[in-house]
């Protein structure tokens, strides 16, 4: 389930996408005591397999992805499907990979108001809305383990969690080549190892902390050690200056 502008909710039920209007009653001091919903529209069997993710994008757009790798972009106001994305065609495959390696879409994130970052099966890929093309792909992002979570952070960072319990941090980069052609890259900048099972939850706690949980019933808080060291040095400098004064 996903809210849209506080007036609608979008619900994925198996292979269907359902739209509902949201009405709030008895609202006192931002506390809502009663909520009613009205069904607006149902798209029956719009996916041919179980819907595995719903992600809000921008400008009343959202994305749905399914367990068989299908990805659709929707217009929330019109309640209509407007685009289908196909990250992996038969030409992308080789003896090393099969089509099922890229099934199970787990995340579709809007990035920098221009790109979509898609995590599906083993892969991470970047779709450019301006050129309407996929411009970058990592076919095997977690060494043969399928991605289970995709998270975007500040400073052009992405975080992925996988079935093998690994968490990887990626830096989104743009650069112009010698012919002034824009190229993008997802550069691996860090890895967090601590879970012994598939990552089930990956969320931000603050600008410098993320939390992960797995089916091993272990919850881990990960902190940006570089940022923490900078904060610690600032605090020490502040304390020392107060002592001197």
């Amino acid at each position: 389930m996903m809210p849209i502008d506080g007036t609608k909710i979008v619900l994925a039920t198996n292979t269907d996408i359902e739209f509902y209007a949201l009405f709030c009653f008895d609202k006192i001091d931002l506390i809502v005591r009663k909520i009613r919903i009205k069904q607006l529209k149902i798209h029956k069997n719009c996916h041919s397999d179980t819907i595995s993710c719903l992600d809000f994008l921008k400008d009343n757009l959202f994305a749905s992805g399914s367990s068989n790798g299908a990805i659709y972009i929707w217009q929330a106001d019109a309640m209509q499907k407007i685009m289908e994305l196909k990250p992996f065609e038969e030409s992308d495959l080789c003896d090393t990979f099969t089509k099922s390696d890229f099934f199970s879409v787990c995340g579709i994130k809007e990035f920098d108001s221009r790109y979509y970052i898609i995590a599906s099966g083993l892969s991470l890929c970047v779709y450019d809305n301006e050129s309407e093309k996929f411009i970058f792909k990592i076919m095997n992002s977690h060494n043969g383990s399928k991605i289970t979570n995709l998270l975007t952070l500040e400073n052009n960072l992405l975080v992925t969690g996988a079935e093998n319990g690994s968490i990887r941090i990626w830096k989104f980069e743009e650069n112009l080549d010698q012919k002034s052609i824009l190229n993008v890259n997802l550069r691996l900048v860090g890895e967090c190892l601590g879970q012994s099972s598939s990552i089930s939850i990956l969320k931000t706690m603050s600008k410098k902390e993320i939390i992960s949980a797995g089916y091993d019933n272990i919850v881990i808080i990960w902190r940006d050690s570089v940022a923490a060291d900078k904060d610690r040095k600032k605090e020490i400098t502040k304390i020392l200056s107060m002592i001197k004064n």
Side-chain angles (χ1 to χ4, degrees), residues 81-103:
K81 180 170 60 179
I82 59 173
M83 186 192 313
E84 180 179 4
L85 300 181
K86 297 180 179 180
F88 295 96
E89 302 289 352
E90 297 297 336
S91 58
D92 294 312
L93 305 181
C94 61
D95 293 339
T96 308
F97 304 106
T98 64
K99 205 163 186 179
S100 63
D101 289 329
F102 307 111
F103 287 178

Side-chain angles (χ1 to χ4, degrees), residues 234-245:
K234 286 181 181 179
E235 191 65 27
I236 292 172
T237 302
K238 183 179 177 181
I239 293 171
L240 291 175
S241 65
M242 291 172 64
I243 293 173
K244 290 179 181 180
N245 294 333

Side-chain angles (χ1 to χ4, degrees), residues 10-222:
V10 179
L11 187 67
T13 56
N14 196 16
T15 59
D16 303 341
I17 292 288
E18 305 178 12
F19 292 85
Y20 293 86
L22 184 64
F23 302 95
C24 300
F25 299 92
D26 294 338
K27 188 175 181 181
I28 302 174
D29 296 330
L30 301 179
I31 298 176
V32 178
R33 298 185 178 182
K34 293 182 181 178
I35 296 177
R36 294 181 182 175
I37 61 174
K38 177 183 178 182
Q39 190 177 86
L40 299 175
K41 193 167 187 176
I42 298 180
H43 290 267
K44 287 280 190 183
N45 298 318
C46 55
H47 280 270
S48 59
D49 204 346
T50 303
I51 297 170
S52 51
C53 81
L54 280 177
D55 275 316
F56 182 77
L57 301 174
K58 63 172 184 176
D59 301 331
N60 271 318
L61 298 179
F62 71 91
S64 63
S66 63
S67 298
N68 65 356
I71 299 168
Y72 299 124
I73 308 300
W74 300 78
Q75 218 293 329
D77 285 345
M79 297 181 287
Q80 292 291 339
K81 180 170 60 179
I82 59 173
M83 186 192 313
E84 180 179 4
L85 300 181
K86 297 180 179 180
F88 295 96
E89 302 289 352
E90 297 297 336
S91 58
D92 294 312
L93 305 181
C94 61
D95 293 339
T96 308
F97 304 106
T98 64
K99 205 163 186 179
S100 63
D101 289 329
F102 307 111
F103 287 178
S104 300
V105 181
C106 71
I108 306 153
K109 305 294 185 184
E110 185 270 331
F111 200 85
D112 199 27
S113 301
R114 173 174 175 173
Y115 305 105
Y116 296 152
I117 311 293
I118 298 170
S120 182
L122 302 176
S123 67
L124 268 177
C125 54
V126 182
Y127 179 82
D128 180 14
N129 276 293
E130 290 192 10
S131 65
E132 298 183 347
K133 295 179 180 178
F134 285 94
I135 55 175
F136 184 80
K137 297 174 183 177
I138 300 176
M139 301 289 281
N140 190 7
S141 58
H142 277 261
N143 296 336
S145 184
K146 289 188 177 182
I147 303 171
T148 57
N149 303 81
L150 173 63
L151 186 65
T152 55
L153 304 177
E154 294 183 345
N155 301 317
N156 289 346
L157 293 176
L158 308 167
V159 184
T160 54
E163 289 179 344
N164 63 2
S166 65
I167 296 171
R168 289 189 166 183
I169 303 168
W170 310 83
K171 180 79 171 181
F172 181 90
E173 298 174 325
E174 293 179 306
N175 59 77
L176 293 175
D177 64 15
Q178 295 179 347
K179 297 181 180 180
S180 296
I181 297 174
L182 180 66
N183 294 308
V184 304
N185 181 47
L186 291 176
R187 180 168 59 91
L188 181 64
V189 295
E191 186 168 24
C192 306
L193 300 174
Q195 308 282 171
S196 59
S197 71
S198 177
I199 304 296
S200 57
I201 297 174
L202 192 61
K203 300 287 184 182
T204 53
M205 286 190 64
S206 67
K207 290 182 179 180
K208 300 168 186 175
E209 295 175 323
I210 62 174
I211 185 170
S212 68
Y215 295 104
D216 52 8
N217 296 319
I218 295 175
V219 177
I220 301 176
I221 297 174
W222 306 91

